[in-house]
Amino acid sequence: MDGKDLVQVVVDLPLPGTFSYLTQSPVMGGARVCVPFGNRRVCGVVVAPIPGEGVSQIDAAKLRCIETVLDGLPPLPEEFLALVDFAAGYYHHPLGPTLFTALPTGLREPRDVRRVDQRPFALTAAGLAEAPPARQRARLALWQALQDGPLRLEQAKAVTPQAGKLLADWLAEDKAERITPERPPLVLGEAPALNAEQRAALDALCSSQGFQPWLLHGVTGSGKTEVYLQLIAGHLAARRQVLVLVPEINLTPQLINRFLERFPGSRIVVQHSHLAEGERMHGWLDAWHGDADVVIGTRLSVFTPLPRLGLIVVDEEHDGSFKQQDGLRYHARDLAVWRARRAGISIVLGSATPCLETVANVEAGRYRKLVLSQRAHGAARLPDVRLVDTRRRQLVEGLAEGVVEALKTRLARREMSLVFINRRGFAPVVACTACGWTSGCPHCSAKLVVHLLERKLRCHHCGWEEPVPRACPDCGDPDIKPLGEGTQRLEAALQRMLPEARVLRIDRDTTSRKDAWDEVYRKVNGGEVDILVGTQMLAKGHDFGTLSLVTVLGADGGLYSADFRASERLFSQLMQVAGRAGRAEAPGEVLVQTQWPDHPLYQALVAHDFDGYAASLLAERRQAGFPPSVFQALLRADSPELAQATAFLKQARALLEPLAEGVLISGPAPALMARLAQRERAQLVLEAVQRGALHRLLSQLQPLLDPLARQHGRSLRWSLDVDPQEL
Ligand code: ADP
Ligand code: ZN
Ligand code: ZN
């Protein structure tokens, strides 16, 4: 091929495999390139050939040349490529789309990017030796200014507007150079003295060597963040970089302020999807070039290259937002653990309510646990949790009298309350109010979901269907109904019953605007709010200062749900919202309205017994054969017609069954959210006790399913979800 090299390139298009291109001169792996593709020009990245993903047909006559090597930046670092490679393999997602998902959008375009070099200029010995002639006034002025010491470009431009051109010439002639200024020593803001538990945790973390995942299990307000900050200080003093993953963009402002106060001279880079494109990219580039000390960000920041990485912190590690729910369905916490292993460093997973996967990893000895059992601040205590039995009380529009009274008391005392309405996220199960019977599947350990319109109960695990019974099959009571009904009108009822209260509602809609949270905090801190009303969003780690009462409505819907994770999630959410109550002078109070006050979940909540309840949930999962005791993947399909999605999955199952050694395949069954954006969704559940067995099957999937999907035409889409968080 007339002395030209052949390289493999992945492109920014939703296509699997690599593509062969010719180059005039050798191009390094990781280089960004601009390549012709069809009648377009797209951005590509040069990679090693991938075994199994196939190489586009090499027909020498048809091979095309790389158009440009985008060399304003060095090739993407090996660390980044290795992580992307792992993610593509683990999630069985094509390498190209994985790689481009991991890049900031600014680097996905086929144009060159240059990093603004901020380093100051200084004269070299050669430059110093040769004074410009007096008639070149600008040149001489700049030369004289540089005699006094290095200048940054803006400073040089203040001497003469021609500085840019002059300095570029001098750099080329070796008369000037860029110098890296001495970094000032680390400056630390004021920090409180740690309590004994925090001290013990910090000591353990500081003496940790090599790869080690740690669970920092601390009750809400126990000072986990303070432990991170003091741990991070040590890494920054040693000039190492730190990656901090947080669940929500909304949480970052509070946290970033704490970081800025603690590390005033350090460069802290923020990474999340709401940043302006240029800002995100420049932060990413600074991190990659070692100029950022701390990267704080949401799940996508797990891909940020950090050459001096010394520590990873995942705050609120149980949070569902670490899992991406479309495209590359990665879990940032899990990728972060992989990254820590590869870098041979510690990773700290912090939570008041760690997820069961993490608890199981601690039990198995893979992760080490540190406990903070007390609130850190002054005399702050955990709140008193009380259950309000709604079976024996008069309800007015769904609200128990005791709850309304408690709200009125706080209102009179001018204290702020929070009303948590558990509304979304649980598929309804039918239950008998007389004996407690709930609808279980006769064929597997899942709960049946009620579909009221069709009057059907349906299993979303194995696909079983039956009619909704007219009366309880156990005791004959006709009063059976879906759990968690009736939360819709609670909010309106509140306003009617407490018309003088200033109510602030917090949900996806009211907080989607960019600065909505600033507004929430301003109102809350300014004493403009009596009652905060909200749904799941309030269960996140927000700090609203002095809440003395938290009331929980509609929680029962999560007790018996078709999603086996529902009780874990509900428990975690309730512990988290309960954690919003309480302050130094008086313990907070939490009131939970329920028809099932004896349920172990509520009993554990009253006793603040996370460990006990988590252990019982884990035992249940093991018995039922659910994760984390097995590994799952979902093969999802969606189409405008449910029949088509189901037919595709049936055929897929027939193809996979003979290969499924050590893997149990169930379904097709409709997804819990069966209809989304005008499309019907169904799935197969693939489960295995051995992770390896599952992945062996998954790696054979694509070549079998692509041709099958093509027979169904464009209306059918399929995708794979490894370690799914939602059924
Ligand atoms: P968490 O991250 O566990 O929710 P934080 O680190 O935010 O807890 O701490 C909760 C509150 O207690 C914060 O106001 C923090 O400043 C304070 N705090 C943390 N540690 C201490 C300590 N050792 N002494 C006094 N106050 C502390
Ligand atoms: Zn019954
Ligand atoms: Zn079933």
Side-chain angles (χ1 to χ4, degrees):
M1 273 170 267
D2 25 309
K4 285 180 183 162
D5 281 332
L6 193 63
V7 291
Q8 296 306 311
V9 173
V10 290
V11 291
D12 188 16
L13 291 170
L15 295 171
T18 63
F19 300 88
S20 304
Y21 283 91
L22 293 171
T23 70
Q24 301 287 358
S25 49
V27 185
M28 304 246 281
R32 291 168 61 248
V33 291
C34 171
V35 292
F37 198 95
N39 50 14
R40 287 200 274 172
R41 297 159 71 242
V42 295
C43 181
V45 170
V46 176
V47 294
I50 326 162
E53 271 215 36
V55 164
S56 61
Q57 281 299 314
I58 302 180
D59 174 352
K62 289 197 183 137
L63 275 174
R64 300 167 81 177
C65 280
I66 284 179
E67 205 161 281
T68 353
V69 179
L70 305 171
D71 58 2
L73 295 170
L76 294 167
E78 205 269 330
E79 153 199 39
F80 172 80
L81 297 173
L83 178 63
V84 161
D85 205 43
F86 169 76
Y90 186 83
Y91 294 104
H92 299 272
H93 199 67
L95 184 65
T98 305
L99 189 149
F100 284 95
T101 300
L103 281 180
T105 26
L107 295 179
R108 294 181 207 168
E109 281 148 31
R111 60 178 172 81
D112 223 335
V113 170
R114 246 162 250 287
R115 217 163 76 88
V116 185
D117 194 340
Q118 304 282 6
R119 289 174 303 161
F121 296 86
L123 291 174
T124 59
L128 278 170
E130 207 180 305
R135 63 193 150 75
Q136 297 178 356
R137 299 241 299 275
R139 203 174 268 255
L140 184 63
L142 185 59
W143 186 84
Q144 280 166 343
L146 282 166
Q147 302 277 329
D148 299 335
L151 294 178
R152 279 182 289 108
L153 185 60
E154 312 88 83
Q155 295 169 316
K157 280 187 174 158
V159 177
T160 162
Q162 299 165 38
K165 163 88 173 75
L166 290 173
L167 287 167
D169 290 348
W170 286 348
L171 279 181
E173 296 162 19
D174 281 333
K175 290 182 182 162
E177 63 187 352
R178 297 272 201 176
I179 58 162
T180 307
E182 282 288 309
R183 302 197 51 164
L186 179 67
V187 183
L188 290 181
E190 211 175 316
L194 297 181
N195 63 36
E197 283 182 325
Q198 286 174 314
R199 166 61 48 201
L202 182 64
D203 287 347
L205 292 167
C206 287
S207 57
S208 179
Q209 298 280 326
F211 169 62
Q212 178 62 53
W214 295 87
L215 166 62
L216 181 60
H217 185 186
V219 298
T220 48
S222 59
K224 294 182 290 297
T225 310
E226 189 53 48
V227 172
Y228 308 149
L229 288 169
Q230 300 204 17
L231 177 63
I232 290 167
H235 285 274
L236 297 188
R239 292 280 170 242
R240 288 188 289 262
Q241 294 173 299
V242 177
L243 173 63
V244 181
L245 300 181
V246 294
E248 291 271 326
I249 301 162
N250 316 322
L251 287 179
T252 50
Q254 278 177 312
L255 196 67
I256 291 159
N257 285 339
R258 270 175 93 172
F259 273 79
L260 290 173
E261 278 168 22
R262 187 60 58 86
F263 309 118
S266 305
R267 171 100 165 89
I268 296 169
V269 154
V270 177
Q271 292 280 289
H272 58 69
S273 58
H274 284 202
L275 286 181
E277 188 184 303
E279 197 180 351
R280 160 109 206 274
M281 184 172 74
H282 284 110
W284 204 88
L285 295 178
D286 286 355
W288 166 15
H289 289 84
D291 292 346
D293 300 303
V294 180
V295 170
I296 304 181
T298 53
R299 60 174 180 257
L300 53 80
S301 59
V302 75
F303 294 107
T304 318
L306 293 154
R308 297 182 282 114
L309 183 61
L311 171 74
I312 304 179
V313 173
V314 183
D315 192 26
E316 310 288 352
E317 68 91 32
H318 62 278
D319 198 283
S321 69
F322 286 122
K323 174 88 192 250
Q324 167 123 329
Q325 299 292 3
D326 54 19
L328 173 67
R329 292 172 166 80
Y330 66 100
H331 200 302
R333 179 199 58 221
D334 297 348
L335 287 183
V337 171
W338 186 87
R339 203 172 160 180
R341 180 196 308 277
R342 188 168 189 277
I345 58 170
S346 289
I347 174 166
V348 183
L349 311 178
S351 177
T353 56
C355 72
L356 291 184
E357 278 78 1
T358 300
V359 173
N361 277 323
V362 171
E363 269 185 23
R366 284 187 288 269
Y367 294 5
R368 291 170 66 186
K369 179 161 95 164
L370 300 163
V371 177
L372 305 180
S373 60
Q374 308 289 323
R375 287 203 164 167
H377 192 68
R381 285 193 280 137
L382 287 175
D384 295 324
V385 181
R386 298 210 178 82
L387 304 173
V388 179
D389 185 346
T390 53
R391 289 172 310 184
R392 298 197 200 104
R393 289 187 202 208
Q394 201 63 39
L395 291 190
V396 182
E397 301 201 63
L399 287 166
E401 203 181 316
V403 168
V404 180
E405 281 312 309
L407 286 168
K408 278 188 181 151
T409 312
R410 296 317 191 288
L411 201 54
R413 282 199 233 141
R414 309 200 125 267
E415 292 175 352
M416 191 165 61
S417 306
L418 185 156
V419 176
F420 176 68
I421 302 181
N422 185 61
R423 179 175 303 165
R424 281 175 306 158
F426 300 113
V429 159
V430 234
C432 169
T433 46
C435 77
W437 168 88
T438 57
S439 50
C441 176
H443 299 288
C444 69
S445 40
K447 294 279 170 196
L448 297 177
V449 176
V450 60
H451 292 257
L452 279 178
L453 285 180
E454 302 146 82
R455 293 210 52 83
K456 278 211 173 103
L457 295 178
R458 198 171 273 155
C459 176
H460 289 263
H461 192 91
C462 71
W464 170 257
E465 269 187 17
E466 63 186 48
V468 178
R470 296 196 178 281
C472 171
D474 275 10
C475 75
D477 195 293
D479 190 19
I480 62 171
K481 57 185 179 200
L483 283 170
E485 228 182 18
T487 46
Q488 312 293 335
R489 41 182 199 168
L490 280 171
E491 190 190 327
L494 263 178
Q495 266 296 358
R496 262 194 313 271
M497 278 180 227
L498 303 166
E500 72 280 23
R502 294 162 302 169
V503 176
L504 179 65
R505 188 186 132 118
I506 297 181
D507 57 27
R508 289 264 169 234
D509 303 335
T510 57
T511 53
S512 55
R513 260 189 319 112
K514 204 167 177 244
D515 47 1
W517 278 98
D518 294 342
E519 182 76 5
V520 168
Y521 282 118
R522 193 186 56 71
K523 284 191 174 159
V524 166
N525 296 329
E528 292 173 35
V529 179
D530 299 310
I531 303 181
L532 278 170
V533 178
T535 53
Q536 269 66 340
M537 297 211 67
L538 286 177
K540 311 266 180 185
H542 296 287
D543 186 359
F544 296 116
T546 56
L547 284 167
S548 68
L549 174 71
V550 169
T551 68
V552 176
L553 309 176
D556 287 350
L559 286 184
Y560 302 101
S561 165
D563 183 346
F564 66 86
R565 281 197 178 81
S567 30
E568 176 186 2
R569 262 188 221 133
L570 177 65
F571 185 55
S572 162
Q573 273 168 6
L574 295 187
M575 296 249 343
Q576 296 281 351
V577 275
R580 308 294 134 226
R583 51 181 184 170
E585 309 90 78
E589 188 178 19
V590 180
L591 298 176
V592 183
Q593 279 196 192
T594 173
Q595 306 182 30
W596 312 74
D598 300 327
H599 193 284
L601 186 150
Y602 292 134
Q603 293 301 319
L605 188 68
V606 169
H608 299 286
D609 180 16
F610 179 86
D611 291 343
Y613 191 58
S616 72
L617 283 179
L618 263 181
E620 261 176 53
R621 296 269 188 96
R622 287 201 181 105
Q623 214 186 348
F626 283 135
S629 63
V630 302
F631 298 96
Q632 279 189 338
L634 293 184
L635 175 58
R636 303 177 187 274
D638 62 65
S639 155
E641 304 292 331
L642 184 62
Q644 183 182 44
T646 311
F648 168 79
L649 290 172
K650 271 197 188 131
Q651 293 158 342
R653 182 172 172 166
L655 286 175
L656 297 178
E657 205 75 70
L659 306 170
E661 207 177 314
V663 180
L664 184 70
I665 307 183
S666 315
L672 277 180
M673 278 246 278
R675 203 174 162 76
L676 200 71
Q678 315 271 326
R679 297 179 69 86
E680 302 283 343
R681 313 189 313 150
Q683 67 208 20
L684 291 180
V685 184
L686 317 179
E687 286 165 310
V689 177
Q690 301 295 334
R691 205 195 279 275
L694 181 63
H695 283 262
R696 266 194 298 286
L697 178 64
L698 297 182
S699 57
Q700 303 175 62
L701 217 92
Q702 201 193 330
L704 290 173
L705 297 191
D706 274 343
L708 181 62
R710 272 196 292 275
Q711 292 166 24
H712 283 268
R714 279 171 176 270
S715 57
L716 182 102
R717 291 191 309 224
W718 68 274
S719 63
L720 195 61
D721 191 349
V722 177
D723 304 332
Q725 295 294 302
E726 282 165 18
L727 285 185

